[in-house]
Amino acid sequence: MPDLPDLSSRNPDWWRQAVVYQVYPRSFADADGDGLGDIRGVTERLSHLAALGADALWLSPFYPSELADGGYDVADHRDVDPRLGTLDDFDAMVAEAHRLGLKVIVDIVPNHTSHRHPWFQEALRSGPGSAARDRYVFRDGRGAHGELPPTDWQSVFGGSAWRRVPDGQWYLHLFAAEQPDLNWDHDDVRADFRTTLRFWSDRGVDGFRVDVAHALTKDLTEPLRDLGDVGATGEEALDRMPPGSHPYYDRDEVHEIYRDWRKIFDAYSPPRTAVAEAWVPGARRALYARPDELGQAFNFEYLQARWDADELRQVITDSLATARTAGASATWVLSNHDVVRHASRLTLPPGTDENAWLLSGGRAPAVDADAGLRRARAATLLMLALPGSSYLYQGEELGLPEVADLPFEVLQDPIWEQTGHARKGRDGCRVPLPWTPTGPSYGFGAGRAWLPQPASFASYAVAAQDGVAGSTLELYRTALRLRRKLLEGEDLTWAEDTPAGVLAFARCDGWRCVTNLTDAPVPLPPGEVLLSSAPLDGDGRSLGADTTVWLAQ
């Protein structure tokens, strides 16, 4: 192993106020020209992240995978998919990131493996009752001949969460059938992931994003419990059952696992960081973010909030309070690899069925791209002013909209097939990035990309915006540069004298953020304008609709 510089030792708490840039490697940059993004492509473009002003990159799964779920079906948790590179390529990427002052966070996928994982293949060969099957969740079926699933549990991707194998037993898969759930009551499973965490930490990784952190432990006592009328899916049932009582989500026993992991993280100097993807109510989410567990958890209430001043204020207030109870810092995110990009989502009328909108190709209702981008820029500047960590998704710094009109025949997300073409899936936010205004894939690689890019991507390309005053890329660069100078403390004070539909707060270090969420200009408060998401109205005296401004007092 190369001797990698450990830049985060200068500030072990760097993660509390960090800007973390999510890289979805298959869609970021293609160095070998095969149409699929790869690790060398990431390395070659790390200077973009450094110039942007990010503190860290979060690398979505890069492990060996058949891509049944975009890389989250992992066949080997301690290797690199050959199509994406090698471990040497990974080490070179970490070294270059650290040279540029960037931390590296990797996805860890502990709830399930790929069905191609050696353990699962062994389980299939070994048969019912074998020790190999006990690493997963195999059960006999119900019905006279075991022909019915063991429970009514539903997959997140649609249909039953159980798949029958030729010998008659069924295995649990909360996601795609190619993603069998692990049995976290098994010592082998716990020991293997301890090894995995040390493997990547020893290679210089600074932290981990824990996929589906709330789903690891399950109530596997017999007979297994149906969800019944409390909810057709696991997520719906969470809100209708006493905390910690769900048969497979957010069970109290999961925290024992993360306390064990924290001992591993803290054995390194500086300690490795972690953030939970836990789709649970705020009070329960705080448990995952405790200092003796993962330390931080994603805040999905903010991502799901409407473009409404009262709703956003309540979500922000509650999120800060939740983080404070855990001793953690708050997290903020507007886009990621699983949701409609916020440049499109925030301009959809309230109550819009996003899946129906995607199925219509983004035409019902039609979206005004310029209005969507204006609102997205305002939302971003608001988010970056909040105390805590901001997670950016690749391409949002370019203002990329959702590619809602991908033809059905090119879709890759398993949701499309597993729901019988009822849900279009997440491919529209995973279309490869444009780096140049020309070329077969707009600079993504030498040839065409694995998902088609629209012609409109030419105007969003990095090279088309670089150095252009007022461009979204330059707005992000300026905002992140100012943020590093301004962001002290983890508190804010709401202004109470604002017009209806306006959010305004002061930070403890003497600057203010004001966002006009209405459709009409409002008077600009006094102060020196540091940055505005859009040009100011009325010779600089008014804050236009869907605009955020940072002011020095």
Side-chain angles (χ1 to χ4, degrees), residues 119 130-136 182-192 194 220:
W119 276 1
S130 64
R133 286 209 172 175
D134 198 34
R135 297 189 186 113
Y136 293 88
L182 288 163
N183 173 17
W184 273 87
D185 290 338
H186 201 295
D187 288 341
D188 286 358
V189 174
R190 298 195 180 210
D192 193 69
R194 292 187 194 105
L220 300 178

Side-chain angles (χ1 to χ4, degrees), residues 149 151-163 170-177 227 232-235 248 414-415 417-420 422-423:
T151 69
D152 65 356
W153 301 352
Q154 296 291 295
S155 163
V156 172
F157 292 162
S160 174
W162 297 93
R163 170 66 65 92
W170 299 72
Y171 69 87
L172 178 67
H173 62 91
L174 293 180
F175 293 87
L227 285 175
T233 67
E235 292 89 343
Y248 56 86
I415 289 177
E417 293 296 338
Q418 193 151 335
T419 61
R423 290 167 55 194

Side-chain angles (χ1 to χ4, degrees), residues 284-428:
R284 296 289 294 182
R285 186 177 67 242
L287 303 179
Y288 296 81
R290 290 178 291 193
D292 65 340
E293 295 193 33
L294 296 177
Q296 203 171 55
F298 281 126
N299 169 17
F300 294 113
E301 285 92 341
Y302 184 74
L303 181 150
Q304 295 171 325
R306 295 175 301 153
W307 187 243
D308 176 85
D310 292 337
E311 182 173 340
L312 278 169
R313 175 168 171 164
Q314 190 63 56
V315 165
I316 291 167
T317 300
D318 292 347
S319 299
L320 290 171
T322 297
R324 196 174 296 115
T325 63
S329 60
T331 63
W332 314 103
V333 60
L334 286 165
S335 287
N336 63 35
H337 64 292
D338 282 334
V339 301
V340 172
R341 285 186 176 274
H342 69 277
S344 298
R345 187 184 73 248
L346 289 177
T347 197
L348 291 173
T352 298
D353 181 328
E354 290 181 10
N355 180 61
W357 178 75
L358 289 170
L359 289 171
S360 77
R363 290 183 286 272
V367 169
D368 183 329
D370 291 338
L373 180 57
R374 182 183 179 102
R375 186 167 288 184
R377 287 162 59 107
T380 294
L381 218 55
L382 167 62
M383 178 183 74
L384 291 173
L386 296 171
S389 296
S390 293
Y391 285 78
L392 311 180
Y393 179 51
Q394 64 179 43
E396 69 172 80
E397 78 278 15
L398 307 178
L400 290 185
E402 184 80 2
V403 184
D405 60 352
L406 284 173
F408 295 142
E409 62 269 17
V410 306
L411 299 179
Q412 304 287 321
D413 192 335
I415 289 177
W416 174 242
E417 293 296 338
Q418 193 151 335
T419 61
H421 300 175
R423 290 167 55 194
K424 194 170 184 181
R426 302 158 293 180
D427 290 317

Side-chain angles (χ1 to χ4, degrees), residues 26 36 39 62-67 79-86:
R26 290 167 176 82
L36 195 67
I39 299 296
F62 52 88
Y63 311 108
S65 169
E66 66 175 318
L67 304 183
D79 204 354
V80 175
D81 191 305
R83 290 166 293 182
L84 273 66
T86 65

Side-chain angles (χ1 to χ4, degrees), residues 31 64 126 129 149 151 202 226 249-251 264 290 312 368 432 440 449 470 478 498 504-505 516 528 540 542 544:
S126 300
T151 69
D202 289 344
D226 281 340
Y249 278 157
D250 191 37
R251 295 189 58 78
I264 295 173
R290 290 178 291 193
L312 278 169
D368 183 329
T478 303
T498 56
F505 56 84
N516 179 9
E528 176 192 355
S542 297

Side-chain angles (χ1 to χ4, degrees), residues 17 320 332 382-388 483 486-494 504-513 550-551 553:
Q17 299 265 34
L320 290 171
W332 314 103
L382 167 62
M383 178 183 74
L384 291 173
L386 296 171
R483 184 182 185 275
L486 296 171
L487 212 59
E488 298 291 340
E490 295 184 15
D491 296 299
L492 59 76
T493 301
W494 292 107
F505 56 84
R507 297 300 309 277
C508 60
D509 43 353
W511 62 287
R512 289 176 293 161
C513 175
W550 292 358
L551 298 168
Q553 293 182 346

